[in-house]
Amino acid sequence: MLPKESLQTSKLVVQGGETFNAAKVQFSEDAKWMYLSCGSHVKILSYNSREVVHTLVHHTDDVTSILINPANKMQVYTTSLDGHLALWDTTDGALLRVIDFGVPLYKLAIRPKHSDPSVFLLIGAKDDTNLRVVGMPSSVLTERQPTIPPSDQIKESKKYLRLWRTSHDLTFNRDGSHMIAYSGKVLYVYDFVTDNNNRYISDLPIQCLSVHPTRNCIATGTSTGKIVLWYNYAERGTEVVKTTLHWHAHAVGDLCFTTDGTYLVSGGEEGVLVLWQLDTHKREFRPRLGSPITHLACSPGDKYFTVGLQSNVVQVVSGLDTEVEWTIGGLRRSHTQTVDQNGINTGLVICPRSMSIVTNSTPGFIQFYDPVKESVTQQLNVTDLNYVSRPDDTPLSLTTVDHTSFSPDGDWLATVESRDDGKTVPELRMKLWQYSSSQQRYTLNTCVEPPHDRPVTSITFQPRHHTNKTSNQIPLLVSTSLDSHFKTWVLLGEEVGVSWSCQAVGYYHGLESVGACFSEDGSLLAVNFKTCLTLWDPVNCELRKTLCNPFKSGDYRCMVFGHKSSSQYLVTASETHLQVWDLLSCSVLWCVKTRVCSMVSDPLSQLTAVFVPSGNDPPSTHLYLIDPSSPTPLAVHHSVCSGQVLGGVFLPPQSGGTSTLYFMDKAQVLYGLEEEGKEKSDDSRPLLGDNVPTSERAFWDIFGGSKLQNRGSTVHHKLNSTSKPSLSLLSAPSPRPPPRRPECAPWYLIL
């Protein structure tokens, strides 16, 4: 294990889950380059090579808008909630200038070919629930050493509009004579010639808008799915004429006109891209995009559209046949149609075959995420259902994937899915998937419906015995349920036509079983029955020992076995205490009063990571790195993320070295703790197959990548901690030799 000093010297790295396309995508004039926001940075992508050419890293908060510099098309402006406006050179990704306005910036708009004020910013303030539109002279973007600081200039600038915080659209008409925005049911059209702010009232709340590139027409999307076209808004003395288009059943997510103004493109919760021919009102559809549409943009020349989805994915759709050409995105974001669900039920699991992190994706799917490449290598449709939107305002009860587990060799995958709408009979299925080398994916082998009478609380495969790693050990799976039973499942049949069947059923005094885990060598099974822990022989399903909670600390919530020299310890967390049991003496080794939200142990060392909520406002989570043999933490890292941790996992190294700890917070952002000074490896991990051909990239394979190219999107954050959290764990020798014990003696014989 690494020395204690090394564990306290680390950096927190965002490994995935940043919000893609929070700012509308921008394009170069020839449509060869795309500028895509990704959390606090911006990626420059090549449409032809499908590669990330540069990553623009400066901001410390989410990027809110991207704008091509009208004076130099090879430069872009970016604004962020950190109050900075940055100017970048897109040819080499160099940061040219930073302007600090001191307030959150939500939008930058530059008025074309007009006198000052020509720079308009949509800003926020801590003491104001609304946003304000301020106009400033163009010199604020060009002066190297302004006599008045920008933070003071913005306070003295004229305030044109006051908008709701949900209204982030700010734009101009084709000649820059009118500024257009919306707030609630009001459409604002500010006339710079007459200095008059025209207000047009919509029948329904406005969700988005787009301005026609050649006509005096504004398109607004409403909360009920209607699209309203406002004509003649720029003609003084003429009433505005409205036309309504309606196909969407729910709120319109976004709108955009094609560059020639012939078509209007719309999308929303239905996950369907709709192309409206403005003159005839005829529609064309691109259905089944898999997730609600949140952002739309059209490239110059209408070569392609970019479609931002709620699942944190951007799809590039051809402008000719509306086929999906390219999918951009890292970690998919799981979402549900209800606010009280976060969509992450499986936590984080390691796939032994690909060494990727497996977790929930869009409803009914699980994703295999490679944190080194920061990309999804595969998605598995567990429920075999497509995305459907709700027929009315009532959220649909979707089938969700609740649990996943892999066999030690990765040949088998177990999943549990469920659906309960409170009206019909609840659905509960456990599926066993076998890896197919020929198809390079997992295929369904066995479906058990239902595996239990009540919801399943956990599933886990038995690890291989240390002495039987090369033998044909029969795979064994354990499932626990609220029906007070746990079951063991084994593989039956010959090499061809194998299937899974229940071998044994266990219970303890009719108590609900809420979790199970195996010892390191797989010879001992611990089952959590809330008020007590039970130790079983997994092969014969025989009870060996019962561990009752000696403290009035509530029910046990989670437990993990230690590894290596701490393999005789069982780390448990109740509602109010963290306890460590010594299984050699069947007694509590030590106990600490604290509330734990998640725990995970490293299979390559005796280290265990314990996540503890801070209890402060705003909420955050602290990380304790412990050796179960001692109550003194090896390292304590404060406020590693905001909110609660949904799950964590140690990812073993590909070849030598130490494991890396990854965890995900409630916002579904994936973090990694890496050793200070450790360079990120460029070695690609294997895909799911043993012999998967790599993609053909002749230019890069022959000549290599550009030195200026920055393909990574890793962002480093400073932790709010006196002990700098660090972790790539653990390779150094243990400070003490592991205890001696006969390799052939199972745990249950010791007990």
Side-chain angles (χ1 to χ4, degrees):
M1 185 174 63
L2 290 177
K4 185 175 180 180
E5 294 77 9
S6 298
L7 293 177
Q8 292 180 341
T9 308
S10 62
K11 56 189 177 184
L12 181 65
V13 181
V14 177
Q15 296 285 6
E18 307 103 316
T19 301
F20 272 80
N21 204 25
K24 185 162 289 192
V25 179
Q26 298 293 314
F27 310 92
S28 61
E29 283 189 313
D30 56 6
K32 292 183 178 180
W33 311 101
M34 301 166 49
Y35 308 103
L36 175 68
S37 66
C38 180
S40 59
H41 53 282
V42 175
K43 292 184 177 182
I44 303 178
L45 300 100
S46 170
Y47 174 77
N48 295 327
S49 67
R50 308 293 199 263
E51 293 287 343
V52 177
V53 180
H54 299 295
T55 301
L56 310 181
V57 180
H58 163 74
H59 297 289
T60 58
D61 209 334
D62 287 345
V63 173
T64 54
S65 70
I66 307 170
L67 183 66
I68 306 295
N69 185 2
N72 187 341
K73 300 299 183 180
M74 303 304 294
Q75 297 177 353
V76 295
Y77 290 104
T78 60
T79 61
S80 171
L81 297 179
D82 61 7
H84 289 184
L85 187 151
L87 176 63
W88 306 84
D89 187 335
T90 60
T91 58
D92 58 3
L95 179 61
L96 303 178
R97 191 182 179 199
V98 176
I99 306 173
D100 186 4
F101 287 97
V103 292
L105 305 179
Y106 289 87
K107 185 79 173 183
L108 168 66
I110 298 179
R111 188 180 171 202
K113 300 178 182 179
H114 279 274
S115 58
D116 290 333
S118 60
V119 177
F120 290 83
L121 290 169
L122 185 60
I123 65 173
K126 295 181 179 180
D127 55 348
D128 195 347
T129 58
N130 295 324
L131 303 178
R132 292 170 293 169
V133 177
V134 298
M136 306 180 71
S138 58
S139 59
V140 73
L141 301 178
T142 57
E143 288 183 349
R144 291 290 181 180
Q145 295 180 345
T147 56
I148 303 177
S151 57
D152 293 336
Q153 291 187 47
I154 204 168
K155 295 178 182 178
E156 301 173 359
S157 300
K158 179 180 178 180
K159 278 66 175 180
Y160 286 82
L161 298 172
R162 183 182 293 269
L163 309 176
W164 291 1
R165 281 194 176 268
T166 56
S167 307
H168 295 168
D169 279 331
L170 178 66
T171 185
F172 300 95
N173 65 340
R174 64 183 187 278
D175 60 2
S177 60
H178 293 76
M179 180 172 61
I180 302 161
Y182 71 89
S183 181
K185 294 184 178 181
V186 182
L187 175 65
Y188 293 99
V189 179
Y190 188 90
D191 190 338
F192 288 100
V193 176
T194 62
D195 196 20
N196 186 29
N197 185 17
N198 300 305
R199 302 169 74 251
Y200 302 106
I201 307 300
S202 172
D203 297 333
L204 300 165
I206 300 175
Q207 303 292 317
C208 54
L209 66 80
S210 182
V211 179
H212 198 282
T214 58
R215 304 178 189 175
N216 289 329
C217 174
I218 303 172
T220 58
T222 64
S223 59
T224 61
K226 292 183 179 181
I227 299 174
V228 182
L229 303 178
W230 308 71
Y231 291 96
N232 302 332
Y233 68 89
E235 298 179 10
R236 301 174 185 88
T238 304
E239 292 186 1
V240 171
V241 178
K242 295 191 295 183
T243 301
T244 301
L245 307 176
H246 196 188
W247 178 86
H248 297 280
H250 304 286
V252 180
D254 200 8
L255 298 166
C256 73
F257 284 99
T258 56
T259 52
D260 60 1
T262 304
Y263 286 89
L264 173 67
V265 186
S266 65
E269 186 178 317
E270 302 83 6
V272 178
L273 191 68
V274 185
L275 280 75
W276 304 82
Q277 213 288 332
L278 288 185
D279 294 333
T280 63
H281 293 183
K282 289 184 178 180
R283 303 184 296 257
E284 298 178 17
F285 300 95
R286 177 60 176 89
R288 293 185 294 276
L289 293 178
S291 185
I293 296 174
T294 57
H295 291 84
L296 291 171
C298 183
S299 68
D302 304 330
K303 185 176 182 180
Y304 57 88
F305 309 109
T306 58
V307 183
L309 303 179
Q310 188 178 339
S311 58
N312 207 30
V313 168
V314 177
Q315 291 187 343
V316 179
V317 178
S318 171
L320 298 177
D321 53 11
T322 67
E323 291 296 322
V324 177
E325 297 182 345
W326 180 22
T327 299
I328 308 170
L331 190 66
R332 305 302 197 260
R333 184 164 295 169
S334 179
H335 60 86
T336 62
Q337 295 180 355
T338 57
V339 179
D340 57 342
Q341 297 180 2
N342 55 52
I344 300 296
N345 300 322
T346 64
L348 304 181
V349 183
I350 296 297
C351 173
R353 181 172 290 273
S354 63
M355 300 309 293
S356 55
I357 298 176
V358 180
T359 185
N360 291 98
S361 182
T362 51
F365 287 75
I366 58 174
Q367 59 183 323
F368 294 72
Y369 181 75
D370 188 338
V372 176
K373 296 180 180 179
E374 297 188 2
S375 63
V376 175
T377 59
Q378 185 191 12
Q379 287 208 106
L380 178 63
N381 188 351
V382 176
T383 61
D384 198 23
L385 297 173
N386 290 323
Y387 170 78
V388 292
S389 61
R390 49 187 176 160
D392 49 33
D393 292 336
T394 304
L396 289 177
S397 180
L398 304 175
T399 303
T400 59
V401 183
D402 300 326
H403 305 282
T404 58
S405 181
F406 287 89
S407 62
D409 54 7
D411 288 343
W412 292 95
L413 163 65
T415 61
V416 174
E417 60 190 72
S418 65
R419 178 183 179 274
D420 187 4
D421 58 3
K423 299 177 182 178
T424 59
V425 177
E427 300 177 17
L428 182 62
R429 284 177 291 272
M430 183 173 70
K431 295 180 178 178
L432 282 302
W433 307 75
Q434 186 177 18
Y435 182 76
S436 171
S437 299
S438 59
Q439 301 181 38
Q440 303 292 327
R441 64 185 182 90
Y442 286 95
T443 58
L444 183 61
N445 174 272
T446 304
C447 179
V448 183
E449 184 176 4
H452 289 270
D453 294 332
R454 293 190 62 194
V456 174
T457 54
S458 71
I459 55 173
T460 181
F461 276 94
Q462 180 187 28
R464 288 187 180 275
H465 290 286
H466 294 308
T467 57
N468 295 335
K469 287 186 177 181
T470 59
S471 64
N472 295 326
Q473 178 181 340
I474 299 177
L476 184 142
L477 175 70
V478 174
S479 62
T480 61
S481 170
L482 296 179
D483 63 2
S484 304
H485 295 86
F486 71 91
K487 297 182 179 181
T488 59
W489 307 80
V490 294
L491 187 63
L492 301 178
E494 301 298 331
E495 185 175 351
V496 179
V498 295
S499 62
W500 288 79
S501 178
C502 180
Q503 180 191 45
V505 179
Y507 61 93
Y508 184 78
H509 293 297
L511 299 176
E512 296 178 345
S513 57
V514 295
C517 63
F518 281 96
S519 60
E520 183 179 17
D521 60 1
S523 63
L524 188 65
L525 171 66
V527 181
N528 180 7
F529 286 97
K530 286 189 175 181
T531 58
C532 60
L533 306 175
T534 56
L535 305 177
W536 302 73
D537 172 12
V539 177
N540 301 320
C541 200
E542 294 181 2
L543 179 64
R544 294 300 180 181
K545 196 70 178 179
T546 302
L547 307 176
C548 295
N549 193 345
F551 308 99
K552 295 181 179 180
S553 58
D555 297 339
Y556 286 108
R557 304 177 62 180
C558 55
M559 58 182 179
V560 294
F561 274 95
H563 290 83
K564 303 305 177 183
S565 62
S566 297
S567 59
Q568 72 268 32
Y569 301 119
L570 180 64
V571 185
T572 64
S574 63
E575 295 178 357
T576 57
H577 286 74
L578 175 67
Q579 303 172 10
V580 174
W581 289 83
D582 187 346
L583 299 185
L584 297 180
S585 61
C586 293
S587 61
V588 176
L589 181 65
W590 55 268
C591 178
V592 174
K593 186 175 182 180
T594 184
R595 184 172 176 266
V596 176
C597 61
S598 183
M599 293 191 305
V600 60
S601 59
D602 180 17
L604 300 185
S605 74
Q606 60 266 45
L607 195 77
T608 298
V610 181
F611 297 94
V612 178
S614 64
N616 300 329
D617 190 20
S620 61
T621 298
H622 306 318
L623 170 61
Y624 291 78
L625 302 175
I626 66 171
D627 182 343
S629 62
S630 171
T632 304
L634 300 176
V636 181
H637 306 311
H638 298 284
S639 302
V640 292
C641 67
S642 58
Q644 183 179 352
V645 170
L646 301 179
V649 70
F650 281 92
L651 181 64
Q654 187 63 22
S655 57
T658 59
S659 301
T660 302
L661 175 63
Y662 294 95
F663 58 93
M664 180 178 288
D665 64 4
K666 196 171 182 179
Q668 300 183 28
V669 176
L670 183 67
Y671 297 90
L673 283 173
E674 295 185 348
E675 184 181 354
E676 185 69 34
K678 178 181 177 181
E679 294 295 332
K680 189 172 181 179
S681 174
D682 292 331
D683 298 336
S684 29
R685 296 177 180 269
L687 297 178
L688 285 177
D690 297 327
N691 298 303
V692 179
T694 56
S695 59
E696 296 181 3
R697 294 161 47 212
F699 180 85
W700 298 112
D701 291 341
I702 296 174
F703 299 102
S706 168
K707 293 182 179 180
L708 294 176
Q709 184 182 18
N710 183 4
R711 300 181 188 175
S713 60
T714 301
V715 184
H716 301 282
H717 293 267
K718 294 183 179 179
L719 295 180
N720 182 18
S721 172
T722 55
S723 59
K724 303 176 183 177
S726 151
L727 205 47
S728 255
L729 307 165
L730 305 153
S731 63
S734 173
R736 61 179 183 182
R740 284 183 157 183
R741 62 179 187 271
E743 293 185 355
C744 60
W747 275 107
Y748 69 86
L749 292 180
I750 298 176
L751 297 174

